[in-house]
Amino acid sequence: MLQGNDSKMDIQKIYDKLSKIIDKNNIKTDEYLRNHTYTKLGGKADLLVTPATYEEVQSLVQFSNKEAVPFTLLGNGSNLIVKDGGLRGIVILLKNFHQITVEGNQLKAQSGAAIISASRKALEARLSGLEFACGIPGTVGGALFMNAGAYGGEIKDVLDYALVVDKEGNLVKRMAADLALDYRHSNISENGDIVLEAVFSLTPGNYEEIKAVMDDLTERRESKQPLEYPSCGSVFKRPPGYFAGKLIQDSGLQGTRIGGAEVSKKHAGFIVNIDNATATEYIALIRHVQKTVKENFDVALEREVRIIGEDPKETLVEG
């Protein structure tokens, strides 16, 4: 890890080595991750790298292994909180991989593309199956990572296979059945894979019918969810036999604030960043909600959102 008094020197050495395999324009040092996350939360990355080719991703993984430098993969941070202490080592951002193509009944989307864009491309091609994703704010890679779903549909329902870089830096094809896709879960992280692209098998349909479903889901989402503020989406998984939002609402927590973070007055299942919240404030509010719901209903709310990174030096917060 890059710590201690020599961390700046170490980062410079790593930067120098990295710049031999990655264009310098695609490497930033001490970059605030709040500038790259949907939640607008996150401290600094030692090195933020935006590779331009699959080969560069392979080279980054191989470099990380050889140099013993940790790396973290970041989507658009729509279901992720990066702590205020930031992330050490290399943060890989796949924003350059955003192509979406259609061939027959299959849609291929690179991991940095928005899953919403993939659903719209499917509509243009008159293909049904991705309607549920028309309002999910994450990337394709992030959607696979957590088997994203909404309104009765999930990624596992339509995924054929994914092309990944494994932990050794090899290009590997993973079939959907290999990914252990379950409720908001996959084995992608456990395997150490980096998703480069996904191929979805869809069904030919009627344009107007597909559009009508997407319009309906969009209207339902916009009328119920606090889209006017940055957030991490649904903070908690649905507890068996309950709805997280209802438990939070019945606990009288809507409108509760810690710093710039607030339990949404529009949808209690959301915590919104209404005034330049820090990750520390956001996490503290999550814990307050969990504690209060447990006290009131004896139900333990499990986070759907992931929390990564280091605590700020001045404030210690558990992950």
Side-chain angles (χ1 to χ4, degrees):
M1 302 290 279
L2 309 181
Q3 299 175 333
N5 295 330
D6 295 329
S7 61
K8 289 292 183 183
M9 184 185 304
D10 292 343
I11 292 169
Q12 184 60 50
K13 287 180 180 178
I14 293 166
Y15 174 88
D16 292 341
K17 291 181 179 180
L18 269 179
S19 62
K20 295 177 181 178
I21 60 173
I22 305 289
D23 189 319
K24 288 183 178 180
N25 293 322
N26 293 335
I27 309 172
K28 293 183 178 181
T29 59
D30 283 337
E31 176 74 6
Y32 274 108
L33 293 171
R34 64 183 180 226
N35 297 327
H36 303 277
T37 58
Y38 193 82
T39 53
K40 304 301 180 188
L41 302 170
K44 290 181 178 180
D46 288 336
L47 295 137
L48 181 68
V49 182
T50 52
T53 66
Y54 291 177
E55 290 75 17
E56 286 187 347
V57 178
Q58 291 179 266
S59 296
L60 277 170
V61 173
Q62 292 160 3
F63 175 87
S64 171
N65 292 336
K66 180 182 177 182
E67 301 291 335
V69 178
F71 75 83
T72 304
L73 183 67
L74 191 69
N76 70 346
S78 60
N79 194 50
L80 181 75
I81 297 171
V82 179
K83 293 181 181 181
D84 295 315
L87 290 166
R88 306 287 68 82
I90 299 168
V91 175
I92 302 174
L93 191 63
L94 300 181
K95 66 178 185 179
N96 291 327
F97 302 151
H98 50 73
Q99 291 185 346
I100 304 171
T101 57
V102 175
E103 185 173 337
N105 296 340
Q106 290 195 317
L107 182 144
K108 180 190 292 185
Q110 290 185 311
S111 59
I115 191 67
I116 290 175
S117 298
S119 73
R120 291 173 181 164
K121 187 74 171 180
L123 169 64
E124 290 174 12
R126 293 169 169 75
L127 293 174
S128 177
L130 277 174
E131 291 91 331
F132 74 90
C134 68
I136 296 174
T139 61
V140 168
L144 265 65
F145 185 93
M146 65 171 293
N147 183 33
Y151 300 109
E154 295 178 287
I155 289 296
K156 71 180 181 67
D157 299 333
V158 289
L159 181 67
D160 186 1
Y161 67 88
L163 184 67
V164 309
V165 173
D166 70 12
K167 60 185 178 182
E168 305 300 330
N170 303 306
L171 274 177
V172 179
K173 182 178 179 179
R174 302 269 194 227
M175 303 306 296
D178 300 327
L179 299 179
L181 297 171
D182 202 350
Y183 178 64
R184 304 299 177 265
H185 172 80
S186 75
N187 62 15
I188 290 170
S189 176
E190 298 157 24
N191 289 341
D193 289 342
I194 296 177
V195 176
L196 298 180
E197 62 185 46
V199 174
F200 301 98
S201 291
L202 306 176
T203 305
N206 177 277
Y207 179 91
E208 293 303 329
E209 291 177 0
I210 297 170
K211 185 175 186 299
V213 172
M214 292 174 67
D215 287 347
D216 174 58
L217 295 182
T218 299
E219 192 279 328
R220 287 160 66 181
R221 178 172 177 264
E222 290 178 347
S223 66
K224 294 179 181 179
Q225 298 182 14
L227 305 179
E228 62 272 27
Y229 296 111
S231 79
C232 62
S234 297
V235 180
F236 304 103
K237 295 180 180 179
R238 179 184 296 180
Y242 298 91
F243 291 95
K246 182 74 163 55
L247 292 171
I248 296 166
Q249 182 178 334
D250 290 348
S251 295
L253 289 167
Q254 282 184 285
T256 300
R257 282 185 64 171
I258 294 181
E262 179 183 276
V263 177
S264 171
K265 298 169 186 173
K266 190 173 184 180
H267 190 311
F270 285 67
I271 291 176
V272 289
N273 183 351
I274 64 170
D275 186 18
N276 298 309
T278 64
T280 302
E281 293 166 348
Y282 208 98
I283 294 167
L285 187 52
I286 289 174
R287 293 213 180 97
H288 176 67
V289 169
Q290 289 175 311
K291 180 174 181 289
T292 304
V293 168
K294 179 66 174 175
E295 290 172 349
N296 288 343
F297 298 101
D298 196 28
V299 176
L301 292 180
E302 183 182 353
R303 286 197 326 262
E304 183 172 310
V305 62
R306 292 193 304 133
I307 298 175
I308 63 172
E310 296 191 353
D311 296 310
K313 292 179 181 178
E314 66 275 13
T315 306
L316 289 179
V317 179
E318 294 180 2

